[in-house]
Amino acid sequence: MNPHDTVAAPVATRPAPPSSRPITSVPLQRAGKRAAQQAQPDQMPLLLTSSSSSLRALPPPLAAASPRACVRVAASASAPDGVGATASGFPSFIPRAVQRIRDGAAIRLAKRIERVPVQTSFSGSPILSSCVRPLKQQQDADPIVLLHGFDSSCLEWRYTYPLLEEAGLEAWAVDILGWGFSDLATRPPCDVASKREHLYQFWKSYIKRPMVLVGPSLGAAVAIDFSVNYPEAVSKLIFIGASVYSEGPKDMTRMPKFVSYAGVFILKSLPLRFLATGLAFNKTPNEFFDWVQIGRLHCLLPWWEDATVDFMIRGGYNVIKQIKQRLHQELPDAILRQVRQCGHIPHVEKPREAAKLVLEFLERDKAEKADGASVTPVLTNG
């Protein structure tokens, strides 16, 4: 990835003219990591934080024309599934390949992953859904909920999660339905609508208060889609390397299934994972092979292929209708930031700086609330 060698100054409440705009976000957002590799340092968005009220001005999603199905929330008091179920300390549902990982932060976070029941309208029984829960919940501040990028898992937060927790935040790391380590043995649908409802039912069952929703890469599209549909659940948004202008794969429902499965097989292959990991970072880490194994671990679950094919053939995420122009222009009170010498995943490559930016935004918001001022969205860019 190209280095990020400048730090953008605060941006006024209206978009800067093209000649002085600190970033051009379209290349990364339209083409993901490949475009990010080719973009100039001042063209790569890193992190966008915003109050959810800004999104209420965005066009409603295409699905808004049809009423949402009524859903039932599981109210189970049973113990989480698989916690401490093996002698090694890893949950029993984590693939055994986890024992080959040597990254201490990944090991510690993997041992904290648990499954909690989430009832949805599209599954007859609760889906045992993987997440990392905070050690204690608070009532004096909004919880922060960490999503992840395309075909990833909550282990993406192995370095930044502990920093946010040490700072006193109530932090949740949640696996998006179809990725991560949830139990999908019943093969529930994993299209966009199902991912959205599943996240809402998770929030309604366990978090229950407006949250700071963090979406890296494609997770930004997940967060936008969710926030437009459920604005009452989100108080602020944080986007990291937002990939929101990709139109996703076209409707592939008429394509032979074996073609889709062949593509997904390649997606899981080690050569492609090596390539994708190399493109994601500004500098190849010493832990490179370990990072490949961590990013691929959830792919070893028996339902990963089915869930990924289901998502792909249904078109994936397309939130362009909700964001007509540049994301920054749609959030006019934003402030831009950049992380120096960093690639597409700063919360992995430079976790201390990523955590610092998140904490600064939340502290700013807290101070403005104390002063009685309106919340000012912040755009952090890299």
Side-chain angles (χ1 to χ4, degrees):
M1 308 292 277
N2 286 334
H4 299 230
D5 52 7
T6 61
V7 178
V11 176
T13 56
R14 62 181 183 278
S19 60
S20 61
R21 189 160 47 232
I23 65 166
T24 303
S25 56
V26 174
L28 176 61
Q29 292 165 338
R30 285 186 177 165
K33 294 176 182 177
R34 183 174 181 181
Q37 183 191 24
Q38 298 170 349
Q40 295 302 314
D42 64 347
Q43 293 182 307
M44 298 179 61
L46 169 70
L47 191 148
L48 165 67
T49 58
S50 169
S51 63
S52 63
S53 60
S54 298
L55 282 178
R56 293 182 184 135
L58 298 181
L62 295 177
S66 58
R68 285 196 298 270
C70 295
V71 290
R72 181 163 54 89
V73 179
S76 172
S78 60
D81 176 71
V83 175
T86 65
S88 63
F90 293 108
S92 60
F93 55 81
I94 301 289
R96 285 188 294 178
V98 71
Q99 299 187 37
R100 296 198 295 267
I101 292 172
R102 296 293 175 261
D103 186 306
I107 290 171
R108 288 188 292 273
L109 198 62
K111 289 181 177 181
R112 287 183 58 180
I113 298 174
E114 56 187 275
R115 284 174 171 172
V116 297
V118 176
Q119 183 66 62
T120 67
S121 66
F122 54 83
S123 177
S125 58
I127 297 171
L128 294 176
S129 306
S130 50
C131 66
V132 177
R133 292 207 271 190
L135 296 177
K136 65 177 182 178
Q137 292 182 257
Q138 305 175 12
Q139 296 300 324
D140 59 345
D142 294 342
I144 184 167
V145 176
L146 310 170
L147 302 177
H148 54 73
F150 171 75
D151 190 29
S152 185
S153 75
C154 57
L155 290 179
E156 191 175 298
W157 291 97
R158 57 193 177 273
Y159 302 130
T160 304
Y161 184 95
L163 299 175
L164 298 176
E165 199 167 55
E166 288 169 11
L169 298 183
E170 178 187 326
W172 299 71
V174 178
D175 282 335
I176 298 167
L177 181 69
W179 300 313
F181 303 99
S182 297
D183 184 357
L184 305 181
T186 60
R187 302 302 195 271
C190 293
D191 59 332
V192 169
S194 301
K195 292 179 190 296
R196 179 197 311 137
E197 184 193 322
H198 175 265
L199 179 57
Y200 176 71
Q201 295 307 323
F202 182 96
W203 172 81
K204 193 173 180 181
S205 297
Y206 300 101
I207 300 172
K208 305 177 182 179
R209 295 138 49 213
M211 58 183 168
V212 180
L213 189 57
V214 183
S217 192
L218 187 69
V222 178
I224 289 171
D225 174 77
F226 180 86
S227 300
V228 170
N229 281 274
Y230 301 109
E232 72 279 8
V234 182
S235 61
K236 302 170 202 60
L237 291 167
I238 298 177
F239 300 151
I240 301 176
S243 180
V244 297
Y245 284 95
S246 172
E247 297 186 20
K250 302 298 182 182
D251 188 341
M252 300 164 58
T253 53
R254 297 183 180 180
M255 180 179 294
K257 278 287 186 73
F258 76 88
V259 176
S260 300
Y261 277 93
V264 167
F265 176 80
I266 295 172
L267 180 63
K268 184 170 76 170
S269 67
L270 276 173
L272 186 63
R273 292 281 164 167
F274 273 103
L275 176 63
T277 303
L279 293 177
F281 301 102
N282 177 60
K283 182 179 179 181
T284 302
N286 295 330
E287 307 88 349
F288 182 79
F289 183 68
D290 223 21
W291 285 12
V292 171
Q293 293 191 93
I294 294 166
R296 186 175 177 264
L297 186 62
H298 68 283
C299 300
L300 305 179
L301 290 171
W303 41 78
W304 174 82
E305 287 91 349
D306 295 335
T308 304
V309 167
D310 186 67
F311 170 72
M312 299 295 286
I313 66 175
R314 294 171 186 261
Y317 276 93
N318 185 344
V319 296
I320 294 177
K321 296 293 184 182
Q322 291 138 283
I323 308 173
K324 289 184 176 180
Q325 303 176 43
R326 298 181 191 277
L327 188 57
H328 177 209
Q329 291 174 331
E330 298 296 323
L331 299 171
D333 294 330
I335 294 176
L336 299 173
R337 294 289 185 268
Q338 290 183 333
V339 172
R340 297 172 183 269
Q341 303 293 316
C342 187
H344 188 54
I345 316 179
H347 49 297
V348 176
E349 190 169 4
K350 295 208 169 180
R352 292 193 177 277
E353 192 158 353
K356 178 175 177 288
L357 291 170
V358 170
L359 293 170
E360 284 178 353
F361 166 65
L362 297 179
E363 285 299 318
R364 172 194 177 100
D365 178 46
K366 186 187 300 183
E368 288 179 342
K369 284 184 177 179
D371 293 339
S374 60
V375 177
T376 301
V378 177
L379 177 66
T380 313
N381 162 67

